[in-house]
Amino acid sequence: MKGNYYITTPIYYPSAKLHIGHTYCTVATDAMARYKRLQGYNVKFLTGTDEHGQKIEDKAKEAGVTPQKFVDDIVLGEGGVLDLWKLMNISYDRFIRTTDDYHVAAIQKIFKKMYDNGDIYKGKYTGKYCKPCESFWTESQLIDGKCPDCGREVQDAEEEAYFFRLSKYADRIRDLLENTDFLEPRSRVHEMVNNFIKPGLEDLCVSRTSFTWGVPVDFDEGHVVYVWIDALFNYMTALGFCNDKYNDLNEFWPADVHFVGKEIVRFHSIIWPAMLMSLDLPLPKKVYGHGWLLLDGGKMSKSKGNVVDPYILAQRFGVDALRFFLLRSFPFGSDGNFSNELLISTINTDLANDLGNLVSRTVAMAQKYFGEKLPENQLANEEMDAELVGLATGLRDKYEAQMEAYAFQNALAEVFKVISRANKYIDENAPWVLAKSEENHPRLAKVLYNLLETVRICAGLLTPFMPDTAKGIAARLGGAEMGWESLNTFGVLPCDVATVNGAALFPRIDVEKELAALEELSKPKSDIEIEPYTEEKVDFDTFCKNDFRAVKVKDCQNVKKSDKLLQFTLDDGTGTDRQILSGIAKYYKPEELIGKTLVAITNLPPRKMMGKESCGMLISAVHTEKGEEKLHLLMIDDAIPAGAKLC
Ligand code: ME8
C-alpha cells in the first residue's frame, strides 16, 4: 500500500433530479479515485447529499410532502441519486446524507464549539419583513421592492442571528490562497482574492429563524444552522468527526483533494478553511475548482429536457462512452460546451475508430493467422518497432504527470497518441502481407505481440475512465495483467498469449440518425403538463369545512397600478355584494367575465391586496402548455343560482 488518499465530491442538493452537469464532477472524482487505487493507494471516496435549507423546504411544500419524504424520494427513489451513481459505475466508499442522525448531532456539537471559543456570536441580521406573512426577506429576494409571496409592502426589520467571525481569518486565508497551492487552478485564486478578500471579508450569518428545515441550534430554540456550515463539515463528520458512527478521521483527514464546481469555490476556499482554523483543525491539502458544462453557452438545467438526462445518454451511448466523453472533451479546470454532436463525434473518432478498431483488428488478426495462441518463440524487435515500444513504455509516466495535475483530458490525449501510433504501425507492417508467406510468420507474430502489448498498456491506463471496457479488453487478451507496476513495462504478456474474439467494443454511430432520434426524444411527450398530485391526505371533516359557493359576476374591473389583479363584485345569494380580488388579469379581460357564474371558496379569512379587501378566492384550473402557464376560471351552468353550496 502506498498510503491513504481521501477525495470528495460536492454533496448534491436533492431539489431536482440530477443532469449530466452534476454527473461530470462525480465521474471525474471517480476516475481520480480509481487511478489512485490503481497506483496502490488506500482510497476513501466520499459523496452524498446536502438535504437541508429553505430551497428544499419550499420545494417539498410545493409538492405537498414533508421535506424528509421529498429528499428521500430524490435520493433513494427510482432514478434517484443512488441509482444514478450505480448506473455511472461510481465507486464511492461512503455516502453521507446531511439528514443522517450522526451528522446532525455532530453539526450541533461543532456549532457549539465555535460558539464556546468565541468565533460564533449572536448579533442582529437586518433585512425586510412582511408582517402578514411573518416572513423575513433579504433585499434581493423582494419583487419590485414588495413581499415575493403576497406582493404587499415590507418594512425594515432586524432578526437575531448567529455570526461567524470570518473577518478575523482574512489575512490567514489570503496567505493560504496566494502563497500555497491550496486552491487550483490558479485563475480561481485571483477570482477569490479580487472579488471577496480585497473588498473585505465580513462576518458570516450562520443561523436562520425564517424556516425550520435545518439542523437546530440546540442551545437556542428557533435557530437553524446555516446550510453551508452543515454541508461543509460533511467532509469530516463522514470520517467520524464529533460522532461515533465512523472512526477513520486519523487515517484520512486532511483530505487530499475536494473537487468542487467553480461557483462553490468561495465556500470551499474561504469559509471552509476559516472554520477549520477556528477549530484548530488541519486544512484539506487541496481544493480544485472545475469548470461548468454549458449548453448552448448557458448553464445546464434539467428543464432543458432529455439531452441532459444522464439516464438517456447512458442508455443510448453506454456508460463508459459517456464517462470517457466527459473527461476527454473538456479541460477540467475550464468551462466546456456540451453538445450531442460533440458526444457522437468523440465516440466515433476515439472509441469506434481508434481504440475499437485497434483492439478488434489486432485480436482478429492474431486469431486468423495463429488460432487461439501466438507462437511461443519470438524474434527480437526490429528498428521499426522502437518508436511504438518506446511510446508505450513511456506512456505511464506521461499519463501520471497529467493525472497528478487533474488534467484528465491531457492524460487521455497521451493514451490516444499511442493508440494512433499503434494503428499506424499496423499499416506500416501490413500483417496481411506478412501472412502470405510462411517465412514471414515469425515477424508477423512479433508485430501482433507488440500490438497486443500496446493495447494492454493503453487499456490498463484507461481503467479509471472506462472500467468495464478495460476489463473487456483484458479478457480479450487472455486475462492480461493490468496492474500499475506492469504498465510501464513492455513484454509482460506471455509470448504465447491466448486471445479471445468479441463483438465490436464501440459500434460506429450514424450521426444523422442519432441526432434525429435525440431530437425526437427531447421533445416533451405531451405539450400539457399538470401539477404533481399531493400525497398528503386531508380528512373528510376538514375538507367539509371549505365553503364552496356558486357566485355570479355583477361587475369586474382592473385594479389601478396593478397589472395582476382583477376586482370582482359578486352576487353570492346573501343579498350583500361580496368583493374578491384575484391575480388573473393576465388571463381575462374584465368585460368577458361579467354575468358569468363562477366558483368561490367563501370562508377564507379576508385579506387586503393593494389596500382593498378580498373576501374569498375564485377557483380556477391551472396547467402548463408548451412551457407556458395557463389558467381557466371554473365557470358553471347559469341555471345554478348564486349562493348555491357546492358539495
Ligand atoms: O452546490 N457543469 O450542490 P448542487 C459542471 N450542495 N458542474 C455542475 C453543473 C454543470 N453544468 N451543474 C452543477 C451544491 N454542477 C452544494 C454543495 S458541498 C459541501 C455542497 C456541479 O447540487 C456544481 O458546480 O447545486 C457543484 O459542484 C455540484 O454540481 C453540486 O451542485
Side-chain angles (χ1 to χ4, degrees):
M1 251 326 139
K2 276 196 170 142
N4 296 322
Y5 188 85
Y6 183 34
I7 181 166
T8 68
T9 64
I11 49 171
Y12 294 81
Y13 284 124
S15 59
K17 293 228 158 138
L18 304 188
H19 55 64
I20 192 71
H22 295 115
T23 311
Y24 181 51
C25 183
T26 308
V27 167
T29 315
D30 186 62
M32 197 67 199
R34 287 178 186 269
Y35 155 71
K36 283 288 161 187
R37 286 191 201 108
L38 182 64
Q39 281 187 318
Y41 284 88
N42 176 30
V43 172
K44 181 80 65 197
F45 166 11
L46 174 75
T47 186
T49 40
D50 176 8
E51 305 186 358
H52 289 127
Q54 177 134 35
K55 188 151 95 184
I56 305 274
E57 187 175 286
D58 290 350
K59 288 254 181 169
K61 207 189 259 170
E62 249 172 57
V65 294
T66 62
Q68 190 64 56
K69 163 98 176 90
F70 182 82
V71 291
D72 282 352
D73 282 351
I74 297 187
V75 178
L76 311 173
E78 202 186 323
V81 180
L82 289 183
D83 275 1
L84 179 61
W85 297 155
K86 193 164 169 201
L87 170 81
M88 294 306 295
N89 214 348
I90 303 300
S91 61
Y92 60 83
D93 299 289
R94 198 157 284 169
F95 191 96
I96 184 171
R97 300 182 63 187
T98 55
T99 51
D100 288 338
D101 290 345
Y102 76 91
H103 174 80
V104 170
I107 292 300
Q108 291 179 322
K109 286 188 196 151
I110 291 165
F111 196 89
K112 182 74 170 36
K113 271 179 197 251
M114 290 193 278
Y115 179 72
D116 288 342
N117 75 17
D119 272 352
I120 285 183
Y121 62 93
K122 203 167 190 177
K124 291 235 183 318
Y125 175 73
T126 51
K128 302 284 173 186
Y129 191 66
C130 174
K131 231 176 176 180
C133 297
E134 294 180 24
S135 295
F136 228 97
W137 303 107
T138 59
E139 193 82 48
S140 63
Q141 288 172 315
L142 303 179
I143 299 179
D144 300 332
K146 307 245 167 64
C147 170
D149 267 2
C150 70
R152 279 175 275 219
E153 295 293 337
V154 288
Q155 45 197 234
D156 288 331
E158 289 183 334
E159 185 189 52
E160 275 199 330
Y162 288 91
F163 286 81
F164 172 68
R165 287 187 205 283
L166 188 58
S167 55
K168 174 174 156 189
Y169 295 96
D171 291 344
R172 281 175 71 188
I173 298 291
R174 184 166 183 172
D175 182 50
L176 174 73
L177 295 181
E178 289 188 328
N179 301 322
T180 74
D181 292 332
F182 174 77
L183 174 60
E184 281 185 12
R186 202 69 201 165
S187 56
R188 309 251 179 250
V189 170
H190 306 308
E191 266 168 53
M192 291 303 118
V193 172
N194 292 337
N195 298 348
F196 301 108
I197 303 205
K198 280 192 186 159
L201 278 186
E202 285 180 17
D203 289 354
L204 179 73
C205 182
V206 290
S207 76
R208 296 285 189 267
T209 51
S210 49
F211 61 93
T212 55
W213 183 240
V215 175
V217 175
D218 55 354
F219 54 89
D220 197 346
E221 208 181 318
H223 290 260
V224 294
V225 175
Y226 176 43
V227 67
W228 270 101
I229 303 228
D230 172 3
L232 287 163
F233 272 100
N234 92 89
Y235 300 130
M236 290 187 76
T237 61
L239 296 179
F241 182 59
C242 286
N243 68 83
D244 298 328
K245 165 104 174 158
Y246 296 112
N247 189 23
D248 24 28
L249 197 66
N250 288 342
E251 250 178 295
F252 290 102
W253 192 260
D256 288 271
V257 63
H258 296 313
F259 277 176
V260 304
K262 64 177 185 178
E263 84 284 21
I264 58 173
V265 164
R266 177 165 76 94
F267 298 97
H268 285 82
S269 66
I270 296 178
I271 297 170
W272 180 221
M275 288 193 300
L276 293 170
M277 286 171 186
S278 162
L279 293 174
D280 230 349
L281 292 165
L283 306 185
K285 293 177 201 158
K286 175 128 9 242
V287 170
Y288 192 92
H290 66 77
W292 282 345
L293 288 193
L294 305 175
L295 192 68
D296 304 326
K299 198 167 181 223
M300 233 167 229
S301 80
K302 190 74 193 183
S303 60
K304 304 229 167 152
N306 292 331
V307 280
V308 296
D309 185 334
Y311 278 95
I312 294 193
L313 296 174
Q315 185 197 15
R316 298 197 72 82
F317 302 107
V319 169
D320 272 3
L322 188 56
R323 289 172 57 109
F324 173 80
F325 160 73
L326 291 173
L327 300 176
R328 165 74 162 142
S329 311
F330 312 108
F332 193 48
S334 328
D335 291 350
N337 247 318
F338 173 92
S339 73
N340 287 317
E341 286 83 348
L342 183 62
L343 171 57
I344 297 169
S345 76
T346 307
I347 296 175
N348 277 347
T349 310
D350 287 346
L351 299 182
N353 280 4
D354 291 359
L355 175 65
N357 264 343
L358 175 65
V359 175
S360 58
R361 283 159 92 194
T362 306
V363 170
M365 287 190 291
Q367 299 247 320
K368 180 170 171 195
Y369 303 135
F370 296 104
E372 195 201 339
K373 287 183 170 192
L374 288 189
E376 205 156 335
N377 296 319
Q378 280 192 7
L379 301 173
N381 276 328
E382 294 182 6
E383 220 177 285
M384 68 185 304
D385 303 325
E387 192 188 337
L388 179 69
V389 173
L391 278 177
T393 314
L395 175 60
R396 196 195 77 174
D397 287 351
K398 289 188 177 155
Y399 166 97
E400 186 176 20
Q402 298 294 350
M403 291 297 281
E404 291 301 318
Y406 317 107
F408 304 111
Q409 191 186 33
N410 297 347
L412 286 168
E414 293 294 348
V415 176
F416 276 77
K417 266 188 224 161
V418 179
I419 290 173
S420 283
R421 185 64 192 85
N423 274 319
K424 196 167 144 215
Y425 178 85
I426 298 182
D427 300 337
E428 285 166 356
N429 285 282
W432 46 92
V433 177
L434 294 173
K436 283 189 186 145
S437 67
E438 193 73 29
E439 66 184 296
N440 285 333
H441 276 201
R443 173 66 192 155
L444 174 62
K446 187 76 219 175
V447 167
L448 291 174
Y449 180 85
N450 285 345
L451 286 165
L452 290 170
E453 190 55 2
T454 305
V455 167
R456 179 187 70 81
I457 290 175
C458 292
L461 295 173
L462 288 175
T463 309
F465 299 88
M466 298 192 287
D468 286 345
T469 303
K471 229 186 271 168
I473 296 176
R476 279 164 212 237
L477 307 188
E481 167 64 44
M482 287 186 182
W484 182 251
E485 296 310 328
S486 79
L487 296 178
N488 65 348
T489 314
F490 206 90
V492 170
L493 279 176
C495 293
D496 63 341
V497 52
T499 55
V500 181
N501 242 330
L505 289 174
F506 297 98
R508 230 190 124 70
I509 300 167
D510 180 327
V511 184
E512 300 289 307
K513 253 198 200 155
E514 186 57 34
L515 285 176
L518 283 170
E519 172 81 36
E520 197 52 39
L521 268 174
S522 67
K523 287 189 188 147
K525 285 206 180 62
S526 146
D527 286 344
I528 309 275
E529 280 175 51
I530 57 166
E531 288 273 307
Y533 280 82
T534 305
E535 285 187 24
E536 204 178 347
K537 302 287 178 235
V538 53
D539 67 76
F540 188 68
D541 290 345
T542 309
F543 171 75
C544 288
K545 287 182 186 158
N546 295 312
D547 199 0
F548 290 103
R549 300 284 172 156
V551 288
K552 199 161 182 138
V553 183
K554 290 174 76 176
D555 188 28
C556 180
Q557 312 229 353
N558 284 309
V559 172
K560 268 190 208 143
K561 290 198 191 156
S562 165
D563 42 8
K564 283 195 202 139
L565 288 178
L566 291 183
Q567 177 180 345
F568 289 83
T569 307
L570 301 161
D571 175 1
D572 64 1
T574 59
T576 311
D577 288 348
R578 176 181 290 269
Q579 174 167 293
I580 291 184
L581 285 111
S582 181
I584 57 170
K586 190 165 110 187
Y587 304 100
Y588 291 100
K589 292 201 172 65
E591 56 274 18
E592 288 174 57
L593 297 171
I594 296 172
K596 300 279 189 233
T597 306
L598 309 176
V599 175
I601 175 165
T602 52
N603 60 336
L604 288 175
R607 62 189 268 204
K608 276 207 163 166
M609 292 167 158
M610 305 289 288
K612 293 171 188 283
E613 190 160 79
S614 178
C615 301
M617 192 173 86
L618 294 170
I619 306 297
S620 45
V622 285
H623 72 274
T624 311
E625 199 169 324
K626 293 184 184 153
E628 195 185 330
E629 199 169 78
K630 302 272 176 178
L631 178 143
H632 298 272
L633 278 170
L634 219 61
M635 296 192 192
I636 54 174
D637 196 331
D638 281 346
I640 301 172
K645 185 169 169 69
L646 308 182
C647 51

